[in-house]
């Protein structure tokens, strides 16, 4: 691309710059969050509400798609996910992290999910969607879910 200089005469050539190397801090956080997401998937697959809730920060909020409904704190999350697991049983969950931002002690993740529930008749109900998760760095350096919610497609 050639750009004319504002005072006439000279020109400058702008070229596409190479993709920057990934930020090592972001790569490390991504690895940690991928590990927690694997535990989240396993906890739902095992239908273990205590393991699900253990992955949330104590100040966590689950923002639900039902007219502004939200569940806040471990006890509310335990009731909500406990009822869900009791109703549906083990859940096959797939997460595809699309993007991740690191801002101080918080990380912001977006991605796509697929929830697969096996019905009593043995068929599979498939629920795809998009999500956003806010992660909070813990005092021990690990990461826990601070907020999670569905996002538009």
């Amino acid at each position: 691309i050639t750009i004319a200089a504002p005072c006439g005469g000279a020109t400058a050539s702008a070229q596409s710059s190479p993709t920057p190397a990934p930020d090592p801090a972001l790569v490390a956080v991504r690895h940690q969050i991928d590990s927690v997401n694997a535990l989240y998937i396993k906890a739902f697959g095992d239908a273990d509400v205590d393991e699900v809730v253990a992955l949330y920060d104590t100040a966590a909020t689950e923002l639900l798609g039902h007219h502004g409904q939200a569940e806040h704190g471990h006890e509310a999350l335990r009731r909500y996910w406990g009822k869900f697991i009791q109703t549906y049983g083990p859940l096959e969950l797939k997460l595809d992290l699309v993007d991740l931002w690191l801002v101080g002690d918080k990380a912001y993740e977006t991605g796509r999910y697929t929830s697969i529930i096996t019905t009593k008749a043995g068929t599979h109900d498939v629920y795809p969607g998009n999500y956003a998760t806010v992660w909070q760095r813990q005092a021990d350096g690990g990461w826990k879910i601070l907020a999670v919610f569905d996002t538009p497609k």
Side-chain angles (χ1 to χ4, degrees), residues 86-139:
Q86 183 178 17
T87 301
Y88 299 106
L91 169 71
E92 182 181 345
L93 180 61
K94 297 176 183 179
L95 298 176
D96 178 24
L97 189 149
V98 173
D99 216 338
L100 184 68
W101 297 265
L102 179 59
V103 182
D105 285 339
K106 289 189 176 49
Y108 301 85
E109 170 189 2
T110 59
R112 291 181 285 278
Y113 69 87
T114 304
S115 299
I116 303 170
I117 298 172
T118 303
T119 67
K120 292 178 182 171
T123 61
H124 300 304
D125 290 340
V126 179
Y127 302 95
N130 297 318
Y131 71 92
T133 302
V134 179
W135 294 87
Q136 179 66 53
R137 188 186 320 261
Q138 303 297 294

Side-chain angles (χ1 to χ4, degrees), residues 3-12:
I3 303 171
C7 295
T11 61

Side-chain angles (χ1 to χ4, degrees), residues 22-75:
D23 175 6
L26 186 60
V27 170
V29 169
R30 167 75 190 258
H31 179 71
Q32 290 175 302
I33 287 175
D34 285 345
S35 295
V36 177
N37 277 335
L39 293 172
Y40 193 72
I41 290 166
K42 182 179 182 325
F44 275 107
D46 293 343
D48 188 335
V49 69
D50 291 330
E51 288 299 317
V52 169
V53 174
L55 300 171
Y56 286 83
D57 186 86
T58 56
T61 300
E62 181 84 22
L63 303 170
L64 306 167
H66 309 292
H67 307 291
Q69 181 184 358
E71 299 294 341
H72 181 71
H74 276 190
E75 289 310 310

Side-chain angles (χ1 to χ4, degrees), residues 67-84:
H67 307 291
Q69 181 184 358
E71 299 294 341
H72 181 71
H74 276 190
E75 289 310 310
L77 290 166
R78 184 171 280 104
R79 282 190 304 274
Y80 174 76
W81 286 124
K83 183 178 178 183
F84 181 92

